[in-house]
Amino acid sequence: METMTKNIWQPLPKIVLPSPVFTLAAGHNGIWAGGTGGVAWYPGPVQESIDQPGNEDGSRWQTRNSALQISLVTALTYIEGLLLAGSIEGIAYSQDEGRHWRQADLEDGVAAITAFALSPHFSVDHTAVAATIENGILRTDDGGLSWTNASFGLENFEVTALAWFTGSTVLAATSDGIYRSSNAGRAWRRVYAGEELGIDTIAYLSDKILLATMENGDLLRSVDSGTHWSIDESGLHDIHILSLLIPPTQHSRETLFVGTFERGLLCSHDAGQHWETVYNDVVLSLIASDTTLYAGTNTGISVSVDAGQTWRGLPYPPIHDLRHLFVYKGQPLLSGAYAGVTHYTGFDWQILTGLPQILTATAIAPDDSLLLSSAEGFTRISVEDIKGYVGREYNGEAHAYTQSGPYGNGQTIGLLTFRKSGSSWQAWAASEDGRLLLRSDDRGTTWQSLQPPFGILPLVTLQAFPQRLVAATYDPRQYHVCIWSSLDDGETWERGLEVETQWPLVATCADPPIVTISSIMLLQDASGQWNRVSIGSNSGMIRRVVSIRRNDQDNSTNTTLIALTTTDLQRSDDWGASWQQDNGELSAEQIIDIAVDETYLYVLLSGGQIARREM
């Protein structure tokens, strides 16, 4: 039986999950792994007796997500104490090996990053380039703090890989061919046309010889520093190449590894003339640190200390994306887009298997059913289903919309909110790009499309209050949050308050009605009046607000508010009139999310640790 002392944080069993490793970076004393839930660091060098994945709790892994404003990390690179991380939301940089992060300033506002390449003289010129999915190439000359668009000459802005080996010659792989820059990434000229086949990876064998892989598995080779290219007929065919590594050696650079979808990890010792499978797993990323090779897979990291001949698994890195915390029937429940839903039974954590892949929204409805959204549509799980869920796959009904309905055309729901109406309840759903807005008047069984007024601005929050519906958009170019309000269940909208802020941090609470923008809190009192509330003297920006109504010993009802900010955890027991710090020994930088019920305050910490404390 668990015991707890009031005001002492009690950790629950740690969550250890397999997670895809999209990118790796190596330093002199360890490696960094990036995935759906951020960045983690593992100290090196790795010993011969490597732990098998899942055999222990991975205590050597350290999460490196403190103040990291990006989530799904797709690119990492490290040099001289500087760690750069790229994601679908932009670029972050750390000058202390990932312990603390700051968001880089991008000329384009937001860009999805696929790769980095550092100047060979980075310590002198502080120059690097970054590949993006839609914005071409970004360039920095201040060590990654700010990035400008450097796509002059590109005819295609979907850039998949970069290579920079010596001097000021840079190569870029795109979905329509290969581009070459002779002036350190300032301007580009196409040197190979892909003929409707994109280029996936590119790397140097020497200062003159380069290899590139096409999306059908064919190899391209250049023997004149990337000026001219030809197909290597002895290469691979009809496979999907996911990663490419040419390990640094003292003698020859003819050994190379490619991670493939169909044939696992392949190795060639003659510069790509012949290949053999050395590891039967899908390898998404590769990195070498001295004589040790690391492979990021769909479930974790494998390592080889004998030049790739044998491989063993490291403990699972804590980079899963369980980032949303709920309290469900007295126990914590976590959700993530890729990790799915995990529920605490009171003894251990159980994964709800059989759910749709890539959840875009998770919410608990007023009737305590769980409403999930994915590209397949909505899925609703009842209380009875979850009680009997453990150990079997869920075969529930996907409600209302599939790809063929109004929910199709590539749209996905990212925001859900509810309003109780007598014995029934209404629901609203919206896409994060603000172009899809839906309403259900029958508990999520059927949905109707509404006309969204938000234009092209991304939607950062949607909240139903008793008398109104509130939404907020964020303009990443002007750094403006705008509040929108509807008094007729989303049929028509009025544009309201605008606030300038560097971060699109907008939090809401349904009861009592609260809207926060950056460090500003607006709270509606019992008379319906909205008032601005101050939280502490130096509480930073507000990330999350939760509330709970509790019955005191004199049978009176008291409302407690808990606010998670960028600097601390604050608590108010008097409707926001006064606040006190409430995080105890925990650092606010460790806290990802919070949830509360009448008994406990729960916190989700970096790396998947849950702790709770009596209210």
Side-chain angles (χ1 to χ4, degrees), residues 417 460-465 470-472 483 506-516 542-547:
T417 187
V460 292
T461 197
L462 181 68
Q463 179 67 61
F465 295 125
V470 169
I483 301 297
V506 180
T508 59
C509 179
D511 182 23
I514 294 174
V515 177
T516 75
I542 303 165
R543 297 157 53 194
R544 185 90 156 90
V545 179
V546 297
S547 68

Side-chain angles (χ1 to χ4, degrees), residues 56-125:
E56 46 108 350
D57 62 3
S59 58
R60 295 190 69 192
W61 279 104
Q62 299 177 22
T63 56
R64 292 292 170 94
N65 292 332
S66 181
L68 183 64
Q69 296 292 330
I70 60 178
S71 52
L72 192 154
V73 175
T74 53
L76 289 170
T77 191
Y78 172 81
I79 187 171
E80 300 172 356
L82 174 69
L83 185 62
L84 296 176
S87 82
I88 58 175
E89 302 121 325
I91 298 173
Y93 65 91
S94 171
Q95 296 172 324
D96 57 4
E97 301 185 335
R99 293 176 179 85
H100 301 87
W101 294 88
R102 297 190 67 180
Q103 195 81 355
D105 180 28
L106 273 59
E107 179 184 24
D108 295 342
V110 175
I113 309 301
T114 56
F116 292 110
L118 302 176
S119 164
H121 310 291
F122 184 86
S123 59
V124 176
D125 59 26

Side-chain angles (χ1 to χ4, degrees), residues 39-300:
V39 179
W41 178 76
Y42 192 84
V46 174
Q47 304 299 317
E48 291 286 347
S49 56
I50 304 166
D51 299 299
Q52 292 296 326
N55 280 4
E56 46 108 350
D57 62 3
S59 58
R60 295 190 69 192
W61 279 104
Q62 299 177 22
T63 56
R64 292 292 170 94
N65 292 332
S66 181
L68 183 64
Q69 296 292 330
I70 60 178
S71 52
L72 192 154
V73 175
T74 53
L76 289 170
T77 191
Y78 172 81
I79 187 171
E80 300 172 356
L82 174 69
L83 185 62
L84 296 176
S87 82
I88 58 175
E89 302 121 325
I91 298 173
Y93 65 91
S94 171
Q95 296 172 324
D96 57 4
E97 301 185 335
R99 293 176 179 85
H100 301 87
W101 294 88
R102 297 190 67 180
Q103 195 81 355
D105 180 28
L106 273 59
E107 179 184 24
D108 295 342
V110 175
I113 309 301
T114 56
F116 292 110
L118 302 176
S119 164
H121 310 291
F122 184 86
S123 59
V124 176
D125 59 26
H126 310 296
T127 299
V129 287
T132 76
I133 292 177
E134 295 180 339
N135 297 68
I137 292 171
L138 310 181
R139 188 176 185 275
T140 180
D141 57 11
D142 61 7
L145 280 66
S146 62
W147 299 75
T148 57
N149 196 290
S151 302
F152 180 78
L154 292 183
E155 298 178 39
N156 186 289
F157 295 97
E158 183 182 348
V159 185
T160 53
L162 296 164
W164 198 344
F165 185 69
T166 184
S168 53
T169 299
V170 195
L171 278 297
T174 75
S175 59
D176 76 340
I178 299 174
Y179 290 79
R180 188 176 187 268
S181 171
S182 58
N183 58 359
R186 294 180 177 88
W188 302 85
R189 179 175 62 88
R190 190 162 66 176
V191 292
Y192 180 81
E195 299 178 356
E196 299 184 358
L197 286 176
I199 311 298
D200 289 333
T201 64
I202 189 169
Y204 278 89
L205 281 170
S206 68
D207 59 347
K208 296 290 186 183
I209 303 175
L210 293 97
L211 286 180
T213 64
M214 303 178 73
E215 61 185 24
N216 67 345
D218 284 349
L219 287 181
L220 293 172
R221 190 181 299 266
S222 172
V223 295
D224 56 4
S225 301
T227 303
H228 301 90
W229 293 82
S230 60
I231 294 180
D232 190 332
E233 297 297 340
S234 62
L236 305 167
H237 305 284
D238 299 324
I239 62 173
H240 295 85
I241 294 177
L242 306 171
S243 51
L244 170 65
L245 174 67
I246 301 174
T249 62
Q250 296 180 354
H251 304 292
S252 169
R253 287 175 64 87
E254 292 194 345
T255 296
L256 50 148
F257 296 86
V258 293
T260 72
F261 185 80
E262 294 86 355
R263 294 174 55 187
L265 182 63
L266 303 178
C267 176
S268 172
H269 294 290
D270 54 10
Q273 301 300 312
H274 302 88
W275 297 88
E276 63 174 335
T277 298
V278 294
Y279 187 46
N280 287 306
D281 203 347
V282 176
V283 175
L284 306 175
S285 54
L286 289 162
I287 199 71
S289 178
D290 296 324
T291 59
T292 304
L293 304 178
Y294 299 90
T297 72
N298 273 329
T299 57

Side-chain angles (χ1 to χ4, degrees), residues 400-477:
Y401 285 119
T402 62
Q403 289 284 9
S404 60
Y407 196 156
N409 300 321
Q411 297 280 11
T412 56
I413 293 298
L415 300 166
L416 288 167
T417 187
F418 307 96
R419 179 194 293 154
K420 195 168 183 180
S421 178
S423 60
S424 186
W425 47 269
Q426 293 175 288
W428 288 263
S431 60
E432 290 184 338
D433 63 7
R435 297 178 182 178
L436 179 65
L437 183 63
L438 308 173
R439 185 183 72 221
S440 172
D441 296 320
D442 55 6
R443 304 186 180 205
T445 302
T446 61
W447 297 78
Q448 67 182 81
S449 295
L450 303 173
Q451 185 63 42
F454 313 117
I456 61 172
L457 296 179
L459 200 61
V460 292
T461 197
L462 181 68
Q463 179 67 61
F465 295 125
Q467 303 299 327
R468 71 178 63 212
L469 192 64
V470 169
T473 55
Y474 181 67
D475 187 338
R477 294 182 179 272

